[in-house]
Amino acid sequence: MEKRMLGKTGRNVSIVGLGTWQLGADWGHVDPAQAQAILAASVEEGVTFFDTADVYGDGRSEQAIGAFLADNPGLDITVATKMGRRMEQQPENYSLANFREWTDRSRRNLGTDQLDLVQLHCPPTAVYSNAEVYDALDTLVAEGVIRNYGVSVERTDEALEAIRHDGTATVQIILNAFRLKPLDEVLPAAEAAGVGIIARVPLASGLLSGKYTSDTAFAENDHRNYNRTGSSFDVGETFSGVDFEQGLKAVAEFEELVPDGVSTAQAAIAWIAAQDGVSTVIPGARNVEQARSNAAAAAVSGIDATFDVGVHEIYDRDFRETIHPRW
């Protein structure tokens, strides 16, 4: 699989990585053995980047990755985790003392002395412009606790603020065919600053898999059920903030663009990977088949200028008015 430099980390990573929120919680139950099989299948297909967080299943996602790496020593895998959502979301909680506590916990979960990449996990907007926060992160780098740090954001203005700070190695942001605003300013700014872009929610919480209908039912503990109105966290994380029924209509339009022999999900992932400035795309996978199919998107051809124009036309027609101003 093609690899790209991950911003200022100095590490090359696969253009398709693996998001592991679903290995912890919030997507329904995942058996621990199945989680290990998903990780193994991804690596077999060339994936070298795992993205996780300390709150995914209260650490279960990190622990699953830690167990996998312990059982497979010597693999060239870059693991990015996130921190900051273990406490009430107040800017003052983003302190060096809390950073130490959170990173120590993640190091234990992952079974490592030094974390490859730690990202602030969609903190309050004020955190991104607080110089003391970056000083604290620089301290952890200097002490060898973490190699690099970045941010995960909800909004483009937050991304642009983080990119201004020299120590920011990466920005993780929602980018998919139904969320195009990052193309306007964030990707060009990141590329100019040498900051890596990690594209998350590439399938709009599965909408762009093309597998859902109006009759699809999600488990009670699946965020695509309980967070459709944003009652638990930012609604932009669930179906990219798109109304489910409207999203199904747009998927049907998107499928008309997909080349023969390519799945809807693969086309959606490949389109993101083709955007200038994207370092890696991190779809999740609930089973081995999904993991292998997602990784295969790295080799998809036929995502050309005509396809790109079609994506923009769908967005402009169906989503620009409601989605563009919000995130």
Side-chain angles (χ1 to χ4, degrees):
M1 187 186 298
E2 178 188 347
K3 293 183 180 180
R4 295 177 185 165
M5 180 61 64
L6 183 61
K8 299 175 183 177
T9 68
R11 301 174 75 97
N12 286 310
V13 299
S14 55
I15 61 171
V16 177
L18 178 69
T20 64
W21 184 7
Q22 77 287 348
L23 301 189
D26 294 317
W27 298 77
H29 176 69
V30 175
D31 180 82
Q34 186 179 38
Q36 295 301 303
I38 290 168
L39 294 168
S42 297
V43 171
E44 289 170 5
E45 298 300 325
V47 169
T48 66
F49 182 76
F50 295 157
D51 179 81
T52 185
D54 58 0
V55 292
Y56 291 170
D58 194 28
R60 285 192 297 275
S61 177
E62 287 182 329
Q63 291 163 9
I65 293 171
F68 176 78
L69 295 177
D71 289 343
N72 297 275
L75 289 178
D76 182 21
I77 303 294
T78 298
V79 179
T81 192
K82 307 183 200 74
M83 67 177 181
R85 303 197 71 85
R86 299 192 62 77
M87 295 182 72
E88 186 177 358
Q89 290 300 285
Q90 300 294 333
E92 58 268 24
N93 288 334
Y94 285 77
S95 65
L96 179 58
N98 286 334
F99 289 174
R100 291 192 194 283
E101 179 181 342
W102 298 334
T103 54
D104 284 350
R105 185 176 185 273
S106 289
R107 289 191 296 162
R108 290 193 298 271
N109 284 342
L110 288 163
T112 185
D113 292 330
Q114 186 181 54
L115 301 171
D116 295 332
L117 174 65
V118 174
Q119 305 155 97
L120 300 183
H121 197 171
C122 299
T125 300
V127 170
Y128 296 100
S129 57
N130 186 340
E132 293 181 0
V133 169
Y134 295 92
D135 290 343
L137 293 167
D138 286 334
T139 296
L140 295 182
V141 172
E143 293 175 351
V145 175
I146 64 178
R147 287 191 179 94
N148 301 278
Y149 63 81
V151 297
S152 184
V153 304
E154 298 289 2
R155 305 199 319 251
T156 57
D157 61 320
E158 296 168 341
L160 293 168
E161 176 60 34
I163 289 168
R164 291 181 51 251
H165 296 266
D166 290 341
T168 302
T170 61
V171 166
Q172 183 174 145
I173 192 167
I174 296 176
L175 173 61
N176 59 53
F178 297 165
R179 181 76 77 85
L180 301 191
K181 191 174 182 178
L183 302 180
D184 293 349
E185 295 183 72
V186 174
L187 267 61
E191 193 168 22
V195 172
I197 290 290
I198 302 167
R200 78 172 184 276
V201 198
L203 301 180
S205 304
L207 263 179
L208 281 160
S209 70
K211 297 180 179 179
Y212 301 154
T213 71
S214 296
D215 297 325
T216 300
F218 299 98
E220 184 177 347
N221 61 344
D222 189 316
H223 75 101
R224 293 169 295 183
N225 181 354
Y226 68 77
N227 194 56
R228 289 200 187 187
T229 62
S231 58
S232 296
F233 44 82
D234 193 300
V235 71
E237 298 284 348
T238 300
F239 301 127
S240 298
V242 167
D243 173 77
F244 184 67
E245 294 296 332
Q246 186 182 19
L248 292 177
K249 173 181 174 291
V251 168
E253 298 168 347
F254 181 86
E255 288 176 330
E256 295 179 3
L257 305 174
V258 176
D260 292 341
V262 178
S263 75
T264 305
Q266 288 172 336
I269 294 167
W271 175 82
I272 300 169
Q275 303 307 305
D276 291 339
V278 170
S279 304
T280 187
V281 187
I282 51 169
R286 290 292 306 278
N287 54 57
V288 166
E289 292 73 22
Q290 286 180 2
R292 294 193 186 280
S293 179
N294 289 344
V300 163
S301 59
I303 307 302
D304 55 16
T306 300
F307 187 97
D308 188 67
V309 168
V311 169
H312 282 77
E313 288 177 347
I314 292 169
Y315 181 79
D316 289 345
R317 182 170 56 247
D318 296 338
F319 301 122
R320 179 174 289 275
E321 183 178 352
T322 56
I323 298 298
H324 217 74
R326 296 190 64 182
W327 292 284

